[in-house]
Amino acid sequence: MAHDPPSTGPTGQGGRPPHARNEPAGPTPTAWALPEELRRAFARTLVKAVRVGGGYGGGIYLLSADGRSLVLVMVTGMPRSLVRSWWRVPLSGRLPAAECFRTGRGVFLNDAEERVRRFPQFAAALPYPFGSLCVPVRVAGEVRAVVFVVRAAVGRAGAAGVQRRRLRAVVNRLGTALAGHVTPGDSLRYDGEPIAVRLPGETITGVRVGLFQWDLETGTINADGECCAILGIRPGEYQGPVSGVTGRVLADDRHELEACVEDADRAGRVLGRRFRVLDRGGRPRSVELWGRVARGGDAAGGGRLVGVVVDVGQSAAAVEAAERLPDGVFSLDQDGRLTYANRRLEELLGVARDELVGCYPWDVVPWLSDPAYEDRYRSAMLSQESTSFVVCDPAGESLVFYLFPDVHGLTGRVVRSGVPSGPELSGGGLVQPPVGFGSAATGPGALYHIVHMASVLTEAVTVRQVCDVVVDQLLPLSGGREMAIYVVRDRRMYLARQSGYPDGFLDEFEGVALDASLPGVQALTQGVPMFFESPRQLLAAYPGIPLDEMSAWAFVPLIASGRQVGSCILGFDRQRVFSAEERAALTALGGLVAQALERARLFDLESALARGLQRGLLPRRFPEVPGVVVCARYLPGTQGMEIGGDWYDVLTSERGVALCIGDVEGHNVAAAAVMGQLRSAVGALAGAGLPPQEVMRRVNRQLADAESGLFASCCYVELDQSSGEATMVRAGHLPPVLCHPDGRTEVVDAPGGTLLGVLPDAEYPATTFRLAPGDLLALYTDGLVEEPGEDLEHGIDALRTRLAHTATASLDELADRLVGEARRNTDRPDDIALLLAH
């Protein structure tokens, strides 16, 4: 079910702002490429999911054709224009739908507070008070889609368990239905625009229309059954004199019926003559008569009036009531277009109704064009909560806008400030135009992605992490198929990260000088982004430049505080027109990326210096010890500066050989410096021939006297090779694990002392145990055995199991295997040190 992707901009919006003028209200043909049977199944499931989930809107996501994004395939309860920012979300992003798809578990967010705590980037970009429920759709055990429901914020109470179970049951039925349409090789992917499905509205009396023919010469009327019902005359088709109809018209309005004959004679048509008739219950109803005269031959006068009688029901009365109100009254459809405005609103806004209806208010009224005011509409529609705000008109007078939303649109009131307006509404207040806003190029769609990217980049520390974030986030959202990030070193451009390019295509551009005639280079040196909407444009500007299969390009300079950092190149597989919003959004995002890269570059330099310091503090080789084979491993944490206070050492003295391992709190240069001091102190005291408990006591005193503010743990084991006797002292450190030749393992646990540096006069008891030939002793730091959500005992038991079941003749190979799982984890919060003695 993969389709050719539509041309989308950096906001996933096809290059149009969220409320672009003349945007088609219905789905594009691409949207209907979804097979009809699946479309019906999705629609049924989505509407039911919103109902059982207690929501007012929702949607369904499928994986994109390239597998990088989730694409919104269907939406209900919210207009497509309002959720353009959600049309494509990166699969790797920290977003509810993406996490639901990746983990296969439901994601339930009760309110904005929980959204901020669990998904800060998502909350920063959509700071509206609503809750959401995301449930995965499984087909044959594999997650193929995500159904989400948007609902009112419910606080700590959350969605009831029965509500979640019902929602899962609805979604599971969709998975069962999809199983009949998806073969094992079918990827069930989508790249079209979302299909809009309307939620069922309240049942109200609809407008009725009846047909009639009125012979103006004879006065005979021929009416169909619906017309008879509207006029309150006998059922069935009426063929009788006009007096039969006149008798049903209120006496005060009979002149209107007579005027219909005059209009027909004079103009040959009747346009909306309104009068009241009595229904069968004797109650008056407003109707309108429309028609035109069908004359025979060239005869003047006479003929037949052919037309319709429209039962306008309560709508006419409602409009008349709104027109009499002293307040401005208006209504917006789901997309934000004005569908009704009363006379008073015309006066308050200074714009004629004909110019307002069918348009976005912020497009027509200049002083409402600030995105802050449009954001209030978005907030009301997404949260389904009433809100209010104050705006100053050109005359300097304050107008108060009240917004009352539901899933089908929004009704509003406008009053002058100081006019009694009833109780205050939640979310009310004066809205000041944000600094830097006001340009159409920075509408809410673009701002969403700028804010989102800014919040995500704050968590990227290294250059590699920044590049990963840019590729994972910007490439799917822009609809691009290729991306290359180049950084400047020594006045040359070097590739930092690429995605989507053919193998070897970028090789000839590696290390090009900053005076090269290439768009990526000149965009940087000139400080101006370049956009090429077709291969012809690019070749015209740069004849002979190598091309791959892309058809449009954006070359964005990365400049931070005037410093040339690099360039970001986006390639699109279709020719496209880059809108003003896309250009502005990409330029703004380029600035964010440049600042993040510059910050990360400085961090990498400092981190490299710190890692060099730490490598210098750890032993390069161990002394040769008869009868004992020793090896060690150290892995820095991947968070922060990748430097910590873990250390190990093997020391010899007249008393034998000592194994030492320790951990200074913190992950910075200060921790590494204290680690170096402790290692030197332990080495000096051990070399002096002091017993283990005395070594630990004196080291503790030195650290306490240094007043560094840091504490450390340590485990010190002294071995007598001839007897196999071992003496251990622990200062708040984890106990070693002993593995016997037959595979049995045990924890060498014994009383220990407090952490080093806490109590200057602390004592450290010694414990003696014996090692037999073939025994293996493992000393380690907590980074090796810590697991999120588990206690340390669980991690130590896992280490014992790995020691018992890892068959290898090489101690080095064993050490590699023990730290191998941790090495593959790119999100290690703590350092790891391991010291093995056999």
Side-chain angles (χ1 to χ4, degrees):
M1 197 172 61
H3 309 287
D4 290 333
S7 177
T8 56
T11 58
Q13 301 174 8
R16 302 177 67 91
H19 295 297
R21 294 178 178 84
N22 302 321
E23 180 187 11
T28 64
T30 306
W32 298 101
L34 190 70
E36 180 68 18
E37 197 167 350
L38 288 183
R39 188 176 66 84
R40 288 198 300 267
F42 281 1
R44 288 193 302 268
T45 298
L46 184 55
V47 171
K48 192 166 186 179
V50 171
R51 186 173 69 249
V52 303
Y56 49 78
I60 299 178
Y61 280 106
L62 288 177
L63 200 62
S64 64
D66 61 11
R68 290 193 181 105
S69 316
L70 291 179
V71 179
L72 188 62
V73 64
M74 187 168 287
V75 63
T76 188
M78 298 175 290
R80 299 187 317 142
S81 60
L82 190 62
V83 294
R84 276 190 181 276
S85 302
W86 299 354
W87 281 19
R88 277 181 183 269
V89 298
L91 184 59
S92 61
R94 293 183 60 183
L95 301 167
E99 180 171 303
C100 180
F101 192 96
R102 292 194 309 265
T103 64
R105 296 191 298 270
V107 176
F108 305 104
L109 302 175
N110 295 327
D111 51 23
E113 181 180 346
E114 187 171 6
R115 194 163 68 251
V116 168
R117 186 174 67 254
R118 295 180 58 185
F119 301 94
Q121 296 91 359
F122 182 53
L126 286 174
Y128 306 121
F130 63 87
S132 62
L133 313 173
C134 290
V135 181
V137 180
R138 296 181 181 274
V139 179
E142 181 182 353
V143 178
R144 297 298 190 96
V146 170
V147 174
F148 74 90
V149 173
V150 177
R151 49 180 286 158
V154 291
R156 295 182 179 180
V162 63
Q163 198 174 51
R164 296 185 184 184
R165 288 194 296 273
R166 288 175 178 171
L167 180 58
R168 288 192 181 99
V170 170
V171 172
N172 289 341
R173 284 195 287 273
L174 176 61
T176 302
L178 291 180
H181 299 277
V182 181
T183 62
D186 189 350
S187 59
L188 194 63
R189 299 188 179 190
Y190 186 77
D191 262 317
E193 292 188 3
I195 303 166
V197 175
R198 186 174 176 85
L199 283 175
E202 296 183 10
T203 302
I204 58 176
T205 303
V207 175
R208 296 186 298 168
V209 178
L211 305 177
F212 71 89
Q213 291 184 5
W214 184 353
D215 192 321
L216 299 176
E217 292 183 2
T218 64
T220 302
I221 291 180
N222 187 351
D224 67 2
E226 190 67 21
C227 185
C228 293
I230 293 172
L231 297 175
I233 57 182
R234 67 179 182 271
E237 291 190 354
Y238 175 79
Q239 292 181 338
V242 69
S243 58
V245 175
T246 306
R248 307 301 304 171
V249 179
L250 266 68
D252 291 345
D253 293 353
R254 285 175 186 167
H255 67 282
E256 286 293 318
L257 184 61
E258 296 168 357
C260 291
V261 179
E262 297 176 5
D263 290 346
D265 286 340
R266 183 183 69 256
R269 59 183 180 177
V270 180
L271 300 179
R273 284 286 183 176
R274 184 178 301 173
F275 50 89
R276 289 168 292 171
V277 299
L278 297 174
D279 63 15
R280 291 173 188 170
R283 293 168 298 189
R285 299 183 66 86
S286 293
V287 300
E288 285 183 356
L289 190 148
W290 297 74
R292 64 181 304 168
V293 176
R295 303 186 189 277
D298 295 329
R304 291 177 294 111
L305 179 65
V306 179
V308 296
V309 173
V310 181
D311 178 6
V312 295
Q314 301 179 31
S315 60
V319 170
E320 290 172 355
E323 290 297 322
R324 290 190 289 268
L325 288 174
D327 303 339
V329 177
F330 65 92
S331 63
L332 306 179
D333 62 15
Q334 275 192 324
D335 287 311
R337 295 181 180 89
L338 204 85
T339 56
Y340 170 75
N342 71 347
R343 174 188 51 80
R344 179 58 174 160
L345 187 73
E346 282 186 302
E347 298 173 358
L348 292 173
L349 299 186
V351 179
R353 274 183 280 193
D354 290 345
E355 298 179 44
L356 288 168
V357 174
C359 301
Y360 302 107
W362 37 87
D363 282 352
V364 179
V365 184
W367 43 276
L368 286 179
S369 63
D370 194 290
Y373 307 134
E374 182 184 349
D375 187 67
R376 283 306 179 103
Y377 147 76
R378 294 165 60 85
S379 175
M381 290 301 296
L382 284 174
S383 66
Q384 289 293 292
E385 292 183 0
S386 301
T387 187
S388 63
F389 57 93
V390 180
V391 182
C392 288
D393 66 12
E397 296 198 32
S398 297
L399 298 179
V400 185
F401 284 70
Y402 296 88
L403 308 182
F404 305 91
D406 73 4
V407 296
H408 300 296
L410 180 149
T411 298
R413 289 175 55 221
V414 183
V415 299
R416 291 205 180 279
S417 180
V419 177
S421 54
E424 289 193 15
L425 300 172
S426 63
L430 179 65
V431 177
Q432 298 291 349
V435 177
F437 282 38
S439 168
T442 53
L447 291 174
Y448 167 87
H449 296 297
I450 294 170
V451 172
H452 179 73
M453 180 67 78
S455 59
V456 174
L457 285 173
T458 59
E459 297 187 0
V461 177
T462 66
V463 170
R464 175 181 58 82
Q465 290 172 346
V466 170
C467 291
D468 288 346
V469 164
V470 175
V471 170
D472 291 344
Q473 301 288 325
L474 184 55
L475 190 57
L477 292 174
S478 68
R481 289 296 177 263
E482 294 178 349
M483 175 181 282
I485 302 173
Y486 282 88
V487 295
V488 176
R489 291 199 307 271
D490 301 326
R491 302 288 298 169
R492 292 184 176 274
M493 301 275 280
Y494 294 94
L495 183 67
R497 182 79 153 79
Q498 71 89 12
S499 177
Y501 281 90
D503 292 340
F505 180 80
L506 298 176
D507 291 349
E508 64 179 287
F509 303 107
E510 186 69 3
V512 298
L514 290 188
D515 58 359
S517 180
L518 292 169
V521 175
Q522 293 186 346
L524 176 63
T525 56
Q526 298 172 11
V528 179
M530 295 184 178
F531 300 92
F532 298 95
E533 300 176 345
S534 67
R536 179 180 298 177
Q537 279 190 5
L538 181 58
L539 289 173
Y542 296 91
I545 188 173
L547 298 180
D548 58 3
E549 297 180 354
M550 295 298 102
S551 299
W553 296 266
F555 297 86
V556 182
L558 305 179
I559 300 174
S561 303
R563 184 181 183 277
Q564 295 174 342
V565 177
S567 288
C568 179
I569 304 170
L570 275 166
F572 303 86
D573 59 358
R574 289 189 175 187
Q575 295 186 23
R576 59 187 293 124
V577 175
F578 292 95
S579 69
E581 181 185 16
E582 289 177 286
R583 294 169 184 252
L586 282 173
T587 303
L589 289 169
L592 292 176
V593 173
Q595 293 286 350
L597 280 173
E598 181 66 3
R599 183 189 69 241
R601 183 187 67 84
L602 296 175
F603 179 89
D604 283 348
L605 288 175
E606 184 179 358
S607 182
L609 291 173
R611 286 196 300 271
L613 169 64
Q614 187 168 40
R615 283 194 298 269
L617 294 174
L618 290 173
R620 293 179 177 271
R621 62 177 63 88
F622 295 131
E624 295 290 337
V625 180
V628 180
V629 179
V630 182
C631 80
R633 294 291 184 270
Y634 173 78
L635 290 179
T638 58
Q639 298 180 5
M641 200 176 291
E642 299 187 9
I643 183 173
D646 290 15
W647 95 94
Y648 50 79
D649 211 345
V650 178
L651 309 165
T652 57
S653 69
E654 60 186 24
R655 295 176 59 90
V657 61
L659 309 174
C660 184
I661 194 165
D663 183 1
V664 180
E665 66 170 335
H667 302 86
N668 48 40
V669 175
V674 171
M675 175 266 283
Q677 296 170 6
L678 289 179
R679 179 175 171 244
S680 298
V682 171
L685 294 170
L690 297 177
Q693 57 269 38
E694 185 64 18
V695 170
M696 199 65 64
R697 189 182 70 81
R698 295 196 183 190
V699 169
N700 173 63
R701 168 66 72 173
Q702 289 186 25
L703 182 57
D705 291 344
E707 296 183 348
S708 65
L710 298 177
F711 308 123
S713 66
C714 184
C715 182
Y716 184 95
V717 180
E718 186 179 81
L719 303 177
D720 184 339
Q721 302 99 295
S722 59
S723 66
E725 186 175 87
T727 303
M728 178 179 70
V729 177
R730 288 195 301 126
H733 201 84
L734 297 174
V737 172
L738 182 60
C739 182
H740 300 289
D742 59 3
R744 291 182 299 108
T745 61
E746 59 180 294
V747 176
V748 186
D749 203 358
T754 62
L755 290 168
L756 300 175
V758 177
L759 300 174
D761 299 323
E763 297 292 333
Y764 296 90
T767 300
T768 302
F769 60 97
R770 188 168 297 278
L771 296 172
D775 282 350
L776 174 69
L777 188 65
L779 286 75
Y780 52 92
T781 57
D782 52 6
L784 183 65
V785 293
E786 277 186 328
E787 296 181 17
E790 302 287 350
D791 54 30
L792 286 173
E793 285 73 14
H794 176 82
I796 294 173
D797 288 341
L799 174 61
R800 292 177 59 184
T801 300
R802 293 200 299 272
L803 283 170
H805 294 89
T806 303
T808 174
S810 167
L811 198 63
D812 284 311
E813 185 178 347
L814 174 62
D816 288 337
R817 292 189 181 183
L818 292 178
V819 300
E821 182 176 347
R823 192 186 298 276
R824 290 189 293 271
N825 182 10
T826 60
D827 189 23
R828 295 190 304 275
D830 203 358
D831 304 0
I832 293 174
L834 174 68
L835 180 62
L836 300 179
H838 184 243

